[in-house]
Amino acid sequence: KLIYTVDLTTDVIRRVAAEASILSSIRHPNIVHIYGVSVLPPSVCLILEICSFGSLSDIIRGYGFDWSTSSRAPLSLAYADVLHLALGCAR
């Protein structure tokens, strides 16, 4: 997860560190694992576990990840599938 900002302030870094702290304290199969944080001005990165189908955001918006081309690929989900994903997040 890359956070790019023109004004990288200590407040932005603190917020990212707080998110990293929360993620590192949670262990659950439905939560992405965090491996570290990198501050390289003008950006801050959270180093997260690779999800084989891409991010949940991409999937809900209709994109998956095609490993053969290393790019996003169109994905068609039924409403029931999106609901199933949302319920999995809630668990």
Side-chain angles (χ1 to χ4, degrees):
K1 178 177 181 179
L2 174 66
I3 298 150
Y4 178 83
T5 177
V6 175
D7 298 320
L8 184 61
T9 64
T10 55
D11 184 52
V12 171
I13 295 169
R14 279 191 195 109
R15 284 186 279 145
V16 171
E19 180 179 350
S21 178
I22 291 168
L23 280 173
S24 68
S25 68
I26 300 171
R27 296 281 184 252
H28 191 277
N30 293 355
I31 307 267
V32 173
H33 182 73
I34 184 167
Y35 291 104
V37 177
S38 175
V39 180
L40 297 169
S43 62
V44 181
C45 299
L46 293 178
I47 298 136
L48 303 171
E49 166 185 16
I50 292 177
C51 298
S52 58
F53 295 104
S55 73
L56 179 61
S57 175
D58 285 342
I59 290 170
I60 289 173
R61 287 180 174 81
Y63 293 96
F65 192 81
D66 183 348
W67 287 98
S68 66
T69 62
S70 297
S71 63
R72 289 171 28 151
L75 178 67
S76 179
L77 290 179
Y79 179 75
D81 295 325
V82 173
L83 184 59
H84 176 77
L85 291 170
L87 288 172
C89 291
R91 292 188 187 121

